[in-house]
Amino acid sequence: MAMHVRRGVRLVFSRGPVCIRKAAFPIAGAASLLMAACGANMSDLSTSSIASYQPASFFSPNGYAVSANADGSLHVTASGPPGTPASRLEKIAMARAAEYGEEQHAKTFRATAPQTSITCGKTKIANKDGQINVKPLDYRTVAIDVSYGTDAQDPTSRPIHGTAEALKAELASETVPPDAQMAAVQEVSQHCGR
């Protein structure tokens, strides 16, 4: 494999198609072109049957994300493909909340009741020749707001120590039965009118 670097773009030559990698593309269309050149597409990256414990990315909303609220609490979301039950997404969000608390050296955390939503993807996109049909990227999201503390005696708080590891181990060993996946898919499909 030979590699050439020119103006911040790295070309990797292999037996397959040429794959161009660059740190940041300013235009989303260029990112789609990049993925097409590398032999991937958006549905390949985001339509696995159930969500796993991983961060969400620009290319796929599936996974967890963390942002700060104005009041100092944390907003944690976990998103997954239609076959992912909300209960699994809640575990992913709670695991990330506990892991974040460990990183901040907190002793306890308190989470609000989970809020579940469904996002329906586009079925058509515009290009220079008009509109083309695309497979929609539908997904379910569970969101919680989390506050951290140091009072281990607070009965409304959960301990940080060990919680993330326990939840991540549970997620890794958990299997979602096909009938539960199908029920979750049907719920999302019905919500999105598919």
Side-chain angles (χ1 to χ4, degrees):
M1 175 166 58
M3 181 172 57
H4 303 281
V5 177
R6 184 175 177 177
R7 295 187 196 164
V9 175
R10 182 172 64 169
L11 298 176
V12 179
F13 299 96
S14 64
R15 293 181 192 168
V18 175
C19 181
I20 303 171
R21 295 186 181 115
K22 188 170 178 167
F25 277 83
I27 301 170
S32 296
L33 179 62
L34 166 68
M35 291 176 61
C38 295
N41 65 45
M42 293 298 260
S43 62
D44 290 343
L45 294 173
S46 59
T47 58
S48 62
S49 59
I50 60 170
S52 60
Y53 187 80
Q54 66 183 19
S57 71
F58 174 76
F59 295 112
S60 172
N62 297 331
Y64 60 78
V66 178
S67 59
N69 289 324
D71 65 359
S73 65
L74 211 61
H75 187 70
V76 181
T77 61
S79 299
T84 307
S87 59
R88 182 173 176 84
L89 293 173
E90 182 181 350
K91 286 179 196 173
I92 292 171
M94 292 294 281
R96 180 58 190 137
E99 187 175 61
Y100 185 88
E102 283 179 349
E103 293 166 2
Q104 303 305 311
H105 306 291
K107 296 201 183 307
T108 62
F109 73 106
R110 185 179 319 143
T112 60
Q115 302 296 313
T116 303
S117 62
I118 296 173
T119 301
C120 303
K122 295 180 180 181
T123 58
K124 296 182 183 292
I125 59 171
N127 69 6
K128 66 180 181 175
D129 298 324
Q131 290 195 345
I132 57 172
N133 294 330
V134 294
K135 182 177 180 181
L137 177 62
D138 302 332
Y139 57 95
R140 181 187 323 267
T141 299
V142 170
I144 56 175
D145 289 322
V146 182
S147 57
Y148 296 94
T150 57
D151 183 8
Q153 304 303 321
D154 183 358
T156 62
S157 295
R158 293 180 66 165
I160 292 283
H161 183 70
T163 300
E165 291 79 19
L167 286 170
K168 289 194 290 186
E170 188 177 331
L171 286 162
S173 66
E174 179 179 71
T175 57
V176 178
D179 59 334
Q181 289 184 40
M182 284 305 298
V185 167
Q186 288 175 348
E187 180 186 5
V188 171
S189 295
Q190 185 176 29
H191 175 84
C192 293
R194 311 231 190 270

